[in-house]
Amino acid sequence: MKVIFDLDYTLLDTTKFKKKLAEIFYGRNFQADYKKYFKNKGLNFSYSQYLKILKRESGVDSQMDKKLALKLKSLMNGLNDYLFPEAEKIIKYFKNAGAELILVTFGDKTWQRQKVKNLSIRKYFNRISFEPENKSLSRLLKSLKNGREEILIINDNAEEAKAMIKILGKKAKVFLLDGPYARNIKHNWPINKLGELL
Ligand SMILES: [Mg+2]
């Protein structure tokens, strides 16, 4: 069996992480900026892009720049603390059962890489893939399409899960997790909590 794990809101408590991230940008309304500059434009969050916007808008100087970089580094160093409590146990469970573990994250590549680099759970994965926004273009998913093994998709984003099923076909099953994107399309999947996998 192959298990495809998503990262944000699936293994990582991204809500908790974002709150902490917002604290780095003291004096800014991060949530509002996030909506205005990324979400509403259909763009993925990118730290470097956000920094550019801050520089343009409020003139972040190089000293400020360094300060922000240090704060971000310290947040990222502690990223393991932002995993859901059951995350490692579940990954290990499938690992011990002999499954092939694949981590697939969609989003800004640099930003997602930075997150994964700081997560100790990365060692359990046979493959880690940073995918383009357009799921149908995913080379990894296309390559999995022809295998015979069962595939379990563990993801919080219903739309994303559906797009993956569309490529992978019937041998793929979805375990949908609750989160802000669990209801972004109509579907009949039950909505679960991560701990319920065991
Ligand atoms: Mg997700």
Side-chain angles (χ1 to χ4, degrees), residues 2 6 24 32 47-48 87-88 118 120 129 135 140 151 197:
K2 294 179 198 286
D6 170 58
I24 289 180
Y47 178 81
S48 58
E88 186 165 15
N118 286 287
S120 57
S129 181
K135 281 106 200 156
L140 171 79
I151 300 174
L197 254 176

Side-chain angles (χ1 to χ4, degrees), residues 15-171:
T15 306
K16 187 176 155 192
F17 171 70
K18 266 196 198 158
K19 264 187 203 146
K20 210 71 197 169
L21 182 65
E23 287 174 17
I24 289 180
F25 303 101
Y26 178 79
R28 294 286 304 196
N29 186 340
F30 180 74
Q31 303 298 349
D33 282 349
Y34 187 90
K35 268 203 184 135
K36 181 175 167 197
Y37 295 112
F38 298 98
K39 204 170 177 180
N40 289 353
K41 289 185 175 170
L43 297 172
N44 291 306
F45 177 76
S46 145
Y47 178 81
S48 58
Q49 203 53 44
Y50 186 49
L51 216 54
K52 271 186 204 160
I53 292 163
L54 291 186
K55 278 178 186 165
R56 198 179 62 216
E57 281 203 349
S58 50
V60 174
D61 57 27
S62 68
Q63 208 180 346
M64 192 65 194
D65 207 348
K66 270 185 209 156
K67 259 190 195 163
L68 287 174
L70 274 178
K71 281 193 204 166
L72 181 70
K73 195 166 176 256
S74 121
L75 173 64
M76 285 301 198
N77 282 342
L79 198 63
N80 285 324
D81 298 342
Y82 295 84
L83 288 169
F84 284 114
E86 313 87 351
E88 186 165 15
K89 204 169 154 191
I90 279 155
I91 293 166
K92 274 189 181 165
Y93 168 81
F94 283 109
K95 191 84 186 166
N96 292 336
E100 183 184 337
L101 305 187
I102 304 166
L103 181 66
V104 178
T105 85
F106 298 97
D108 181 78
K109 234 180 191 170
T110 313
W111 181 237
Q112 293 304 86
R113 249 183 226 285
Q114 209 172 345
K115 285 190 211 161
V116 172
K117 203 178 78 187
N118 286 287
L119 290 171
S120 57
I121 51 160
R122 72 175 191 280
K123 63 175 178 273
Y124 297 113
F125 290 95
N126 301 84
R127 294 166 82 172
I128 296 176
S129 181
F130 303 91
E131 293 295 317
E133 187 53 22
N134 187 340
K135 281 106 200 156
S136 62
L137 291 175
S138 167
R139 271 167 57 202
L140 171 79
L141 294 181
K142 277 184 186 157
S143 78
L144 295 176
K145 189 173 77 175
N146 300 316
R148 261 194 253 157
E149 259 180 296
E150 253 180 60
I151 300 174
L152 178 63
I153 297 166
I154 303 174
N155 198 315
D156 65 285
N157 186 321
E159 192 181 8
E160 219 166 87
K162 193 156 202 176
M164 289 167 95
I165 287 279
K166 206 174 165 194
I167 302 171
L168 296 170
K170 273 188 203 153
K171 62 174 175 290

